[in-house]
Amino acid sequence: MINGKIIKVCGMCEAENIRDVEALEGIDMLGFIFYPKSPRYIYELPAYLPIHAKRVGVFVNADKPTVSMYADRFGLDYVQLHGTESPEYCRSLQERGLKIIKAFSIALPKDLTKVYEYEKACDFFLFDTKCEQYGGSGNQFDWNILHTYKGHVPFILSGGIHSCSAHSLKGFSHPLLAGYDLNSRFEVKPGKKDTDRIRTFLNELKS
């Protein structure tokens, strides 16, 4: 954690890169995307999986047998859902012993209204920028919208966080802000992260 906030790096694919990112001070979660249309889609088990960081599997409207298969194969600690999954779907996965992160796309305050239906079915929410495709756009939404969120589930902030975002992140606070999600803006190519860029960002976040 950095300043009491979870640091999650998503879209990991390559064993050596997974090992290097996990070794950075402050990394809490590493995400693996099991959505075939994503350029960061991973199917084969890499030669190295995180030992210290929690493993998060990202899915979009997958059936429960598929989620369970990847959860077993990759030893997932969390399942992150980016589709139109219902609260009942989330609860059914919780009953199988999985922790749930439900992603919501945000552009306007009204986009937060549906999150309250999921309060008893999720361990974290993830608030991302609304876009046409599933999984995020790499762009930032107006974080001030989140001041209208009055729920009880802690959330992870996503969407367009980049190497120069540290100052803005330190200036944004919310009692339920649990952490930050890093992905496309920290990459050499889809699925391969720039460890130096992440390290610099984390150091700026700490300073």
Side-chain angles (χ1 to χ4, degrees):
M1 299 181 92
I2 302 289
N3 300 335
K5 298 292 186 285
I6 293 166
I7 305 297
K8 176 178 174 287
V9 181
C10 200
M12 305 300 299
C13 292
E14 301 176 9
E16 186 176 351
N17 196 224
I18 294 166
R19 191 191 302 270
D20 290 345
V21 171
E22 184 189 28
L24 296 173
E25 184 181 353
I27 300 297
D28 302 288
M29 296 179 173
L30 292 180
F32 302 90
I33 297 176
F34 303 114
Y35 178 50
K37 294 182 180 180
S38 170
R40 299 164 188 84
Y41 173 56
I42 184 169
Y43 178 80
E44 297 293 341
L45 203 64
Y48 178 83
L49 283 169
I51 298 169
H52 307 292
K54 299 294 184 185
R55 304 174 189 180
V56 181
V58 179
F59 299 89
V60 178
N61 297 326
D63 58 45
K64 282 181 273 190
T66 298
V67 174
S68 295
M69 180 268 289
Y70 280 114
D72 290 342
R73 181 189 292 177
F74 280 72
L76 299 180
D77 300 289
Y78 288 86
V79 167
Q80 181 173 312
L81 303 171
H82 271 264
T84 57
E85 301 88 0
S86 67
E88 292 73 27
Y89 178 98
C90 296
R91 270 194 295 272
S92 69
L93 291 178
Q94 279 187 324
E95 289 167 0
R96 299 185 185 196
L98 293 167
K99 294 180 179 178
I100 305 299
I101 302 171
K102 182 71 179 82
F104 295 92
S105 300
I106 308 297
L108 299 167
K110 67 178 183 180
D111 295 321
L112 285 167
T113 56
K114 61 185 173 185
V115 310
Y116 301 104
E117 300 170 19
Y118 291 79
E119 286 254 302
K120 295 181 180 178
C122 299
D123 298 274
F124 290 100
F125 292 149
L126 183 140
F127 295 142
D128 201 355
T129 306
K130 182 172 277 190
C131 58
E132 292 299 317
Q133 72 274 16
Y134 289 113
S137 64
N139 297 315
Q140 184 180 313
F141 66 96
D142 181 2
W143 299 339
N144 288 317
I145 292 171
L146 300 181
H147 291 307
T148 66
Y149 172 60
K150 306 296 182 184
H152 302 288
V153 176
F155 67 86
I156 296 169
L157 186 60
S158 185
I161 294 173
H162 54 82
S163 54
C164 298
S165 295
H167 179 74
S168 298
L169 289 170
K170 286 190 286 186
F172 173 75
S173 63
H174 189 288
L176 287 170
L177 173 61
Y180 312 120
D181 182 69
L182 316 181
N183 194 344
S184 61
R185 304 293 286 273
F186 291 89
E187 287 185 326
V188 179
K189 63 179 183 179
K192 184 171 184 178
K193 301 299 182 284
D194 185 331
T195 52
D196 289 335
R197 205 184 311 171
I198 296 174
R199 183 186 295 108
T200 299
F201 167 79
L202 297 179
N203 286 337
E204 289 176 0
L205 208 55
K206 281 189 286 188
S207 65

